[in-house]
């Protein structure tokens, strides 16, 4: 599906990509990781035909720079930074649907599943949306159409826990017949979503390895925990994850998307001294 052979790219004499070679088979899910400035976004922009580069690059057999319109028609793309568009949300969805020859209603359905109600926002400029709203809309445009390749640059960075769980469900629905390339500077953000990890450092591939992929993207974990005493800060954090409280704010119960478990544990680690007991179990109702 993707073939990159000896791709190099420089900006004003600074080498950003240095002989990158990579192949991604149809249906494969890979993470592209590395520190900020490692070259991830530049490689993606070359892949989408935005930049000229040295070397050879093909998407589904087509060179993206020379056949950009055809390549972009087959790619669902979520950028790292939202474009500075002043177009109203309604017009943007219509434009995207016409450009991609897709169904606008399907994009709106994905947006609403992510918790973004399109109706009240139809006349609001895209640039006036919050960061989370922009991200949900961009994901809706990418996933609300039939594509064989998804390229996503930090796709869940601005999503709340509930929207992240829905995002994983949406990816699970597409996982069998869609090739995915997910870029992130943190492996824990994407490890559960992929079977392969490719790491860039200073524009070079320094790691290309298979990873064990366990469970389903839409699986959930049932979590119960008890605090030694009520603590408003813990309550606010857990409520943001959709947890319900009981016993005067000392007991909590909720569900965590399986791919988000590391993020959830990182949040809990701030309050580890207050946690007396915690239990996790696979939740059959969550799609496991």
């Amino acid at each position: 599906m993707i073939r990159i052979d000896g791709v190099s790219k420089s900006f004003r004499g600074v080498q950003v990509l240095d002989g990158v070679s990579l192949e991604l088979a149809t249906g494969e899910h890979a993470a592209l990781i590395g520190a900020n400035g490692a070259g991830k976004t530049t490689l993606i922009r070359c892949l989408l035909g935005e930049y000229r580069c040295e070397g050879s690059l093909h998407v589904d057999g087509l060179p993206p720079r020379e056949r950009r319109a055809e390549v972009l028609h087959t790619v669902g793309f979520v950028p790292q930074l939202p474009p500075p568009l002043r177009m109203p949300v309604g017009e943007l969805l219509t434009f995207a649907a016409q450009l991609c020859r897709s169904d606008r209603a399907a994009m709106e359905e994905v947006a609403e599943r992510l918790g973004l109600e399109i109706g009240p926002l139809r006349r609001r400029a895209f640039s006036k949306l919050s960061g989370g709203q922009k991200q949900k809309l961009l994901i809706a445009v990418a996933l609300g159409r039939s594509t064989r390749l998804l390229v996503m640059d930090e796709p869940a960075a601005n999503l709340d826990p509930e929207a992240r769980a829905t995002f994983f469900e949406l990816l699970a629905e597409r996982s069998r017949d869609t090739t995915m390339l997910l870029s992130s500077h943190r492996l824990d953000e994407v490890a559960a979503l992929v079977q392969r990890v490719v790491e860039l450092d200073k524009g070079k591939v320094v790691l290309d390895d298979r990873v064990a992929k366990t469970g389903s993207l839409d699986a959930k974990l049932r979590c119960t925990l008890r605090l030694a005493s009520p603590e408003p800060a813990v309550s606010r954090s857990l409520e943001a994850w959709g947890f319900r409280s009981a016993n005067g704010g000392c007991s909590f119960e909720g569900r965590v998307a399986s791919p988000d478990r590391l993020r959830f544990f990182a949040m809990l680690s701030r309050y580890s001294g207050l946690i007396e007991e915690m239990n996790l179990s696979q939740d059959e109702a969550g799609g496991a």
Side-chain angles (χ1 to χ4, degrees):
M1 186 69 182
I2 294 176
R3 182 167 183 173
I4 302 169
D5 188 10
V7 167
S8 296
K9 178 66 180 178
S10 299
F11 294 100
R12 296 182 179 178
V14 177
Q15 193 83 26
V16 180
L17 296 176
D18 189 1
V20 174
S21 294
L22 176 67
E23 288 191 35
L24 197 62
T26 300
E28 194 169 11
H29 305 161
L32 184 65
I33 66 168
N36 290 331
K40 304 184 302 297
T41 297
T42 299
L43 182 60
I44 286 175
R45 290 181 175 176
C46 291
L47 187 67
L48 298 175
E50 184 175 342
Y51 292 157
R52 296 185 184 277
C53 59
E54 299 176 8
S56 174
L57 227 169
H58 291 83
V59 176
D60 205 17
L62 300 175
R65 184 69 182 181
E66 292 78 6
R67 308 279 291 275
R68 193 177 185 200
E70 294 170 77
V71 168
L72 291 181
H73 182 65
T74 67
V75 179
F77 175 54
V78 180
Q80 179 182 18
L81 297 175
L85 298 175
R86 297 182 179 180
M87 188 181 297
V89 169
E91 292 182 19
L92 176 59
L93 284 171
T94 298
F95 173 76
Q98 291 175 346
L99 184 67
C100 303
R101 289 173 284 184
S102 302
D103 183 8
R104 169 177 162 163
M107 296 179 181
E108 292 194 16
E109 180 182 350
V110 172
E112 291 180 3
R113 284 182 62 180
L114 289 166
L116 183 67
E117 293 187 32
I118 297 299
L121 302 175
R122 290 185 188 278
R123 297 184 179 180
R124 186 177 301 180
F126 177 81
S127 59
K128 299 296 183 181
L129 301 180
S130 69
Q133 289 174 326
K134 290 176 182 177
Q135 195 73 358
K136 291 175 183 179
L137 191 60
L138 292 172
I139 291 173
V141 170
L143 297 184
R145 46 187 289 240
S146 178
T147 57
R148 298 178 57 215
L149 173 62
L150 288 174
V151 178
M152 296 173 279
D153 198 353
E154 306 279 2
N158 291 315
L159 299 183
D160 56 85
E162 185 175 355
R164 286 173 63 88
T166 301
F167 174 62
F168 299 141
E169 292 173 2
L170 290 164
L171 290 185
E173 293 169 9
R174 301 282 295 272
S175 62
R176 291 186 178 180
D177 57 358
T178 305
T179 305
M180 300 183 192
L181 181 63
L182 290 84
S183 172
S184 178
H185 68 284
R186 293 178 53 180
L187 178 57
D188 63 315
E189 292 281 342
V190 294
L193 310 178
V194 300
Q195 310 112 337
R196 182 178 171 191
V197 174
V198 178
E199 183 177 2
L200 289 183
D201 184 38
K202 297 180 181 178
K204 294 184 177 182
V205 175
V206 295
L207 174 72
D208 186 350
D209 202 5
R210 300 281 169 177
V211 297
K213 185 177 179 182
T214 59
S216 169
L217 293 179
D218 57 353
K220 291 185 174 61
L221 298 172
R222 182 174 179 271
C223 177
T224 60
L225 59 87
R226 187 177 71 248
L227 304 180
S229 60
E231 173 54 55
V234 184
S235 297
R236 288 193 295 270
S237 295
L238 288 170
E239 287 168 2
W241 282 80
F243 275 60
R244 299 186 302 273
S245 63
N247 192 26
C250 286
S251 299
F252 294 86
E253 178 178 346
R255 293 178 173 85
V256 179
S258 185
D260 246 354
R261 68 182 74 187
L262 291 178
R263 174 183 281 259
F264 179 70
F265 292 156
M267 180 276 292
L268 283 183
S269 68
R270 303 197 299 265
Y271 314 113
S272 57
L274 291 169
I275 299 174
E276 283 194 336
E277 181 181 355
M278 184 173 70
N279 295 289
L280 288 172
S281 60
Q282 198 73 25
D283 182 11
E284 295 182 1

